[in-house]
Amino acid sequence: MNRNYQMRLYMREHLPLYLFVSVLLVMGIVFGALMVNALSPGQKEEMARHVNSFLQIANQGSEFGGTNTLWDSFSLHLKWIGLIWILGLSVVGLPLIFVLDFLKGVLVGFSVGYLVGQLSWKGMLLAFVSIAPQNLIIIPALVLCSVGACAFSIYMVRNRFMQKRGALYPAFMKYTTTTIGMAVLLFLVALFEAYLSPSVIGWVAPMVTGQAG
């Protein structure tokens, strides 16, 4: 009960940060989707070849995913939140945390926008099974890590001005524990991307390529 109360108190205290980071991500998604219109015909054709090649592999039942995908995916997620954790340790890194949040939104928005723009409802279906599921967890985890980093960075500034250096360690441990918790969650996401997502994409691929039997 006490822990739940502390969690609610923490979220209420940092609500402006949660809203700001969430808005940044949404802005990034919208910006990324709009970026698709700025692609040249040659760039769109090149990307279309990559998407078609990937769909053909999935459609033929070829093996993809597995251990290599697991560690590649987890490594990418870990680097992302690890960088946020490091930036949270320095006040000067605070703006870069916001840049990373915006960039993540751009990547998601661009991917979804491209698939929908090029493949219409089929692209929406493909985005729904290949992009949406993991990002329903990745984005909230990123928000929690970013808010934790911002809150700790602001706390350090206040700590130095108020000269209460003894109170810094518990805040650091809470901040680090949150990041480690999100890393564990993102490992589960990587498991999904490596072992479950390929099967779902393989099931949808014939519908997208028009080869459903």
Side-chain angles (χ1 to χ4, degrees):
M1 180 68 72
N2 187 41
R3 179 173 293 182
N4 291 336
Y5 173 75
Q6 289 180 344
M7 179 64 69
R8 289 197 300 269
L9 188 64
Y10 177 86
M11 295 189 71
R12 192 182 309 140
E13 181 182 352
H14 297 98
L15 182 60
L17 279 175
Y18 280 107
L19 291 175
F20 182 70
V21 170
S22 299
V23 168
L24 267 181
L25 280 162
V26 171
M27 288 175 60
I29 291 171
V30 173
F31 184 78
L34 294 175
M35 277 181 61
V36 176
N37 297 324
L39 291 175
S40 67
Q43 290 172 321
K44 289 182 179 179
E45 186 177 341
E46 179 67 21
M47 290 188 67
R49 278 199 295 268
H50 287 298
V51 172
N52 288 332
S53 176
F54 172 75
L55 287 174
Q56 288 300 325
I57 292 173
N59 195 35
Q60 292 166 8
S62 302
E63 289 292 331
F64 64 102
T67 304
N68 289 336
T69 300
L70 168 63
W71 294 115
D72 287 344
S73 176
F74 181 57
S75 175
L76 179 62
H77 299 324
L78 198 60
K79 287 174 183 176
W80 201 283
I81 65 170
L83 182 56
I84 290 175
W85 180 81
I86 292 172
L87 292 172
L89 298 177
S90 62
V91 178
V92 293
L94 195 60
L96 294 178
I97 296 173
F98 300 140
V99 171
L100 286 174
D101 293 333
F102 182 78
L103 180 59
K104 179 61 179 179
V106 170
L107 293 173
V108 173
F110 182 84
S111 301
V112 174
Y114 175 79
L115 291 176
V116 174
Q118 293 297 112
L119 300 173
S120 186
W121 70 268
K122 294 180 179 180
M124 187 175 296
L125 176 62
L126 184 59
F128 182 75
V129 300
S130 65
I131 299 174
Q134 56 266 44
N135 278 290
L136 288 175
I137 298 176
I138 292 171
I139 289 179
L142 187 63
V143 170
L144 285 171
C145 287
S146 299
V147 170
C150 294
F152 182 72
S153 187
I154 293 170
Y155 180 82
M156 281 200 302
V157 173
R158 292 175 178 173
N159 184 272
R160 287 175 181 175
F161 279 118
M162 297 174 66
Q163 297 182 342
K164 295 182 180 178
R165 301 186 183 276
L168 189 60
Y169 181 73
F172 171 77
M173 289 305 298
K174 179 187 283 188
Y175 169 48
T176 302
T177 301
T178 299
T179 304
I180 293 173
M182 292 305 101
V184 172
L185 187 61
L186 291 176
F187 180 74
L188 298 178
V189 171
L191 282 172
F192 170 82
E193 292 174 320
Y195 295 107
L196 293 179
S197 185
S199 299
V200 179
I201 294 172
W203 176 66
V204 167
M207 306 179 198
V208 178
T209 58
Q211 298 179 21

